Amino acid sequence: MATGQLFSRTTQALFYNYKNLPIQRMLDFDFLCGRETPSVAGIINPGAEGFQKLFFGQEEIAIPVHSTIEAACTAHPTADVFINFASFRSAAASSMAALKQPTIRVVAIIAEGVPESDTKQLIAYARTNNKVVIGPATVGGIQAGAFKIGDTAGTIDNIVHCKLYRPGSVGFVSKSGGMSNEMYNTIARVTDGIYEGIAIGGDVFPGSTLSDHVLRFNNIPQVKMMVVLGELGGRDEYSLVEALKQGKVNKPVVAWVSGTCARLFKSEVQFGHAGAKSGGEMESAQAKNQALREAGAVVPTSYEAFEAVIKETFEKLVEEGKITPVKEVKPPQIPEDLNSAIKSGKVRAPTHIISTISDDRGEEPCYAGVPMSSIVEQGYGVGDVISLLWFKRSLPRYCTQFIEICIMLCADHGPCVSGAHNTIVTARAGKDLVSSLVSGLLTIGPRFGGAIDDAARYFKDAYDRGLTPYEFVEGMKKKGIRVPGIGHRIKRGDNRDKRVELLQRFARTHFPSVKYMEYAVQVETYTLSKANNLVLNVDGAIGSLFLDLLAGSGLFTKQEIDEIVEIGYLNGLFVLARSIGLIGHTFDQKRLKQPLYRHPWEDVLYTK
């Protein structure tokens, strides 16, 4: 066990099992104390490496993350404190691994419920190798104005209130982390504050004892008096009694053992900590308080009188000239986190993303204001979901059914079209699903599947301006623009695309108006008079019919329809549909275990 000071203003720690809040609290304490370097040198997250962004005052810093204790100790040889936030299941193993590192002097174990046999092994190893274990079941410890462990002393407001940003003259040790916060406040009210405070933890076998730390405090010149808060159960306080009787402590000790109320109960009472259970008269709070009083400690008559005797002891030391009260200093202001400042109404900050189609902040996600449960309970289909997310409104059933038909008809068009071919070649190269899918999607454009928007745009412009099919087609020809939605490599006037026929049949049956489709058919009649392959293709059919859907539903203004066509909604329908087929081709090639594709020589014209 160390015989003097554990921490200083240059102490750095390794933090095991990343927790944002306690690390940020440590860094905020560093800034409050005016430290030049952060007290957390590195983070250990088993299986993970990289960096974690945190704040050191107003500056954002990146703290290295290591996957093993050994790697962290090698990377940060000056970090000699190991703060262990592992669960009780793994706390012992990770703590022992840390103790075996030559660079580690102090290990703080936060977890409760660490098996007692494991704790005994840790204690034995630490004592043999002159190392310190704080805990298990501890909140940690603090050296005022220098270094703190994890969540010790709570919030920054509490730390400032307890004057922990600068050192005082009192050494404090307790079993309870919660009561430590209370005592830091009490001590700050009636003295110049603490110099160092330790919560040894409430388990039956603490890694270091009350007397271990009192003896340490006795060797620290800046500590002028000690305050000890024990509790019923166990016999730890008696080691302090022996130290006092043997004259090993020559500074005033003010002590109280809580749990005097246990005698009011007829049966044995288990208090909050595992060790807080009176197993006999000697383990009672009354017996311990009496023994400490007889050994020379200043022991009040009750906890309520604890503050008064601390004050009395401190003032006596001041009168004797043994303590020169610390001068007060004003700590720097810790920058407030943006989220808390916004919540408290202190600042307003602009958002970076606007979303009008969905909201996931409530109990369940909503699509355009419709809760997910309603979508399921009311039997919405894929077309309904598209209408909500794309058009921000519920469309009539014939509209959503048309959308679903388009998706079904455009899902695939065989393995020979460019998109499917690219996907197949990529899948056979051993690439993953997303890579194979994207390879196929990247072929979609003016020549493959991407003409729906252009077809809708040109058909709408021509119809709205009252152009005859002749004027429209010939005008496009003069501009050197092919009519989008007209023409097919395979289909002919006497061999129409079945998909086009199905879409037209549905629309004529269900749509209130098909004026744009009929105009497209008139254009097709004119183009077929020029060449037998200039048929209305599926892009042209979907483009013209979507104009009828938007105009005929009465749910969209002319400006909205123009915007939908301009943005690329209709091509989005083809992208969505064809993704289904491209994914299918990827799975098909993987399932068939097809080898790397190489194009045959005989299918290439080699020429100079």
Side-chain angles (χ1 to χ4, degrees):
M1 177 72 188
T3 56
Q5 194 162 301
L6 293 182
F7 313 120
S8 71
R9 286 176 62 84
T10 60
T11 296
Q12 285 194 299
L14 297 175
F15 196 102
Y16 188 88
N17 197 19
Y18 175 71
K19 306 287 183 193
N20 178 273
L21 184 58
I23 296 179
Q24 188 58 66
R25 282 180 169 176
M26 289 179 67
L27 298 177
D28 287 345
F29 179 74
D30 297 342
F31 180 76
L32 196 70
C33 299
R35 281 184 57 130
E36 294 183 1
T37 55
S39 60
V40 180
I43 298 166
I44 304 164
N45 238 16
E49 292 182 342
F51 293 89
Q52 280 289 348
K53 294 194 302 178
L54 294 123
F55 282 101
F56 185 60
Q58 215 158 10
E59 179 187 359
E60 196 169 24
I61 61 173
I63 296 181
V65 178
H66 305 276
S67 60
T68 66
I69 294 171
E70 294 75 14
C73 290
T74 301
H76 311 285
T78 60
D80 58 3
V81 177
F82 184 83
I83 301 172
N84 195 344
F85 266 75
S87 72
F88 72 91
R89 298 176 186 84
S90 59
S94 49
S95 296
M96 182 61 81
L99 286 170
K100 290 181 178 179
Q101 300 302 310
T103 55
I104 299 298
R105 291 187 309 109
V106 180
V107 173
I109 307 171
I110 310 303
E112 297 183 39
V114 176
E116 293 178 2
S117 58
D118 292 339
T119 302
K120 289 178 180 178
Q121 291 180 26
L122 293 172
I123 294 170
Y125 186 90
R127 291 194 179 279
T128 301
N129 292 274
N130 196 33
K131 299 194 176 188
V132 179
V133 174
I134 302 173
T138 180
V139 72
I142 186 169
Q143 183 174 321
F147 176 84
K148 88 180 187 89
I149 294 171
D151 290 315
T152 303
T155 65
I156 288 296
D157 288 343
N158 190 63
I159 287 170
V160 171
H161 190 71
C162 297
K163 303 174 184 176
L164 296 170
Y165 50 85
R166 50 82 175 147
S169 304
V170 180
F172 171 74
V173 61
S174 167
K175 286 187 176 182
S176 169
M179 286 303 297
S180 293
N181 283 352
E182 178 64 29
M183 289 304 302
Y184 293 149
N185 188 21
T186 298
I187 292 169
R189 281 200 303 268
V190 296
T191 73
D192 61 0
I194 72 155
Y195 183 81
E196 184 182 320
I198 299 289
I200 66 171
D203 278 3
V204 177
F205 297 100
S208 51
T209 64
L210 297 173
S211 60
D212 287 336
H213 294 287
V214 168
L215 291 171
R216 268 199 320 105
F217 295 157
N218 196 63
N219 295 328
I220 300 174
Q222 297 91 329
V223 174
K224 306 300 183 182
M225 62 177 284
M226 283 83 89
V227 174
V228 179
L229 180 63
E231 64 186 21
L232 83 165
R235 302 200 174 191
D236 187 18
E237 288 81 1
Y238 289 105
S239 61
L240 177 55
V241 169
E242 290 304 310
L244 289 167
K245 286 182 177 179
Q246 293 170 15
K248 293 181 180 179
V249 181
N250 53 29
K251 298 176 182 178
V253 175
V254 181
W256 176 255
V257 179
S258 60
T260 54
C261 65
R263 284 187 176 175
L264 300 175
F265 298 92
K266 294 181 179 179
S267 59
E268 185 178 72
V269 178
Q270 170 74 62
F271 287 80
H273 295 146
K277 180 173 66 174
S278 180
E281 177 57 30
M282 282 194 68
E283 295 185 9
S284 68
Q286 284 84 349
K288 292 181 181 182
N289 281 324
Q290 183 61 31
L292 285 166
R293 187 179 292 111
E294 291 173 356
V298 179
V299 180
T301 55
S302 66
Y303 178 79
E304 286 73 16
F306 202 15
E307 181 175 335
V309 295
I310 294 172
K311 179 181 181 181
E312 182 182 326
T313 304
F314 177 79
E315 289 178 346
K316 183 178 179 182
L317 290 171
V318 172
E319 289 174 8
E320 294 172 352
K322 294 179 180 179
I323 291 181
T324 302
V326 178
K327 292 182 179 179
E328 288 300 329
V329 295
K330 186 175 182 180
Q333 183 72 33
I334 298 292
E336 188 172 358
D337 287 340
L338 181 61
N339 287 341
S340 61
I342 292 173
K343 192 176 291 185
S344 63
K346 294 180 180 177
V347 298
R348 56 190 182 191
T351 55
H352 299 290
I353 293 177
I354 301 174
S355 176
T356 64
I357 64 170
S358 62
D359 191 337
D360 60 344
R361 294 172 297 175
E363 293 184 3
E364 58 178 325
C366 293
Y367 293 166
V370 180
M372 192 65 66
S373 56
S374 297
I375 291 172
V376 174
E377 291 165 2
Q378 295 177 25
Y380 280 33
V382 172
D384 297 291
V385 171
I386 291 173
S387 76
L388 292 173
L389 292 177
W390 290 17
F391 303 106
K392 300 199 323 182
R393 65 204 74 187
S394 290
L395 297 177
R397 181 55 190 150
Y398 76 86
C399 295
T400 60
Q401 194 173 357
F402 175 77
I403 291 172
E404 292 170 1
I405 291 172
C406 290
I407 292 173
M408 290 187 287
L409 295 180
C410 296
D412 191 49
H413 202 198
C416 298
V417 296
S418 57
H421 179 80
N422 270 21
T423 289
I424 289 169
V425 171
T426 306
R428 288 178 62 165
K431 300 291 284 184
D432 60 277
L433 170 62
V434 174
S435 299
S436 301
L437 170 62
V438 170
S439 176
L441 290 176
L442 287 174
T443 64
I444 296 176
R447 298 182 181 180
F448 170 62
I452 301 177
D453 282 316
D454 283 341
R457 189 175 298 116
Y458 283 111
F459 283 144
K460 183 177 187 301
D461 179 69
Y463 178 86
D464 291 349
R465 289 197 294 133
L467 297 180
T468 65
Y470 168 82
E471 291 171 330
F472 171 49
V473 175
E474 296 304 323
M476 294 286 283
K477 184 178 179 181
K478 287 179 181 179
K479 296 175 184 176
I481 303 174
R482 293 183 178 182
V483 178
I486 294 291
H488 203 284
R489 290 177 61 88
I490 305 297
K491 299 300 179 181
R492 297 289 186 270
D494 54 356
N495 179 27
R496 302 295 181 90
D497 191 331
K498 190 69 175 177
R499 296 175 299 174
V500 174
E501 293 179 354
L502 290 169
L503 290 168
Q504 290 175 334
R505 188 184 309 158
F506 179 86
R508 287 193 174 102
T509 304
H510 296 91
F511 281 25
S513 170
V514 287
K515 60 183 182 181
Y516 289 107
M517 185 199 77
E518 295 296 0
Y519 182 75
V521 171
Q522 294 171 23
V523 171
E524 178 193 41
T525 301
Y526 178 74
T527 56
L528 282 174
S529 68
K530 291 178 167 291
N532 199 32
N533 69 325
L534 296 180
V535 294
L536 182 68
N537 58 37
V538 72
D539 291 349
I542 293 176
S544 59
L545 284 170
F546 235 103
L547 291 173
D548 287 323
L549 181 151
L550 296 171
S553 67
L555 297 174
F556 300 89
T557 65
K558 181 181 182 302
Q559 183 180 355
E560 286 177 320
I561 295 172
D562 290 340
E563 186 179 51
I564 286 169
V565 174
E566 185 63 32
I567 288 175
Y569 274 54
L570 310 188
N571 279 351
L573 196 62
F574 182 83
V575 170
L576 174 63
R578 191 50 56 96
S579 293
I580 299 170
L582 298 179
I583 291 171
H585 284 295
T586 301
F587 291 155
D588 191 40
Q589 297 303 306
K590 301 282 188 184
R591 184 171 53 246
L592 295 171
K593 297 179 174 59
Q594 290 296 285
L596 179 68
Y597 176 83
R598 180 182 174 87
H599 204 70
W601 289 333
E602 58 269 21
D603 197 33
V604 176
L605 172 62
Y606 293 94
T607 184
K608 294 181 180 179

